[in-house]
Amino acid sequence: MMGYGPEDKTAVLELTYNYGVTEYDKGNAYAQIAIGTDDVYKTAEAVKLFGGKITREPGPLPGISTKITACLDPDGWKSVFVDNVDFLKELE
């Protein structure tokens, strides 16, 4: 389980292992996960170091200046890393 704060007051992500399942069908849906990070540039470098594919180089989004980077995991699922400080400024 991953989350920030009590389960009844925030979003919680539960990761499970499905024993015996070797393939998943993504269907025609679009999905990604956003993860907070203190430094999108260092995060992108770490992803590259371990062989990950960056799909959006780290930097600010036009119009809102929140820094992000995006990558694909080995199975092709997209993850977006969002700068923690920038995101909190968006919420003000």
Side-chain angles (χ1 to χ4, degrees), residues 58-86:
L61 289 170
I64 59 173
S65 300
T66 296
K67 293 180 289 296
I68 71 165
T69 191
C71 65
L72 296 177
D73 76 5
D75 295 320
W77 296 94
K78 184 177 180 183
S79 294
V80 177
F81 293 91
V82 181
D83 182 272
N84 289 325
V85 173
D86 290 349

Side-chain angles (χ1 to χ4, degrees), residues 1-35:
M1 297 278 228
M2 295 189 315
Y4 298 95
E7 289 180 23
D8 61 338
K9 297 190 188 309
T10 68
V12 176
L13 175 65
E14 180 178 3
L15 303 176
T16 62
Y17 181 78
N18 296 324
Y19 292 93
V21 177
T22 58
E23 293 184 28
Y24 292 91
D25 179 6
K26 294 181 188 176
N28 60 0
Y30 180 80
Q32 67 186 25
I33 186 170
I35 303 165

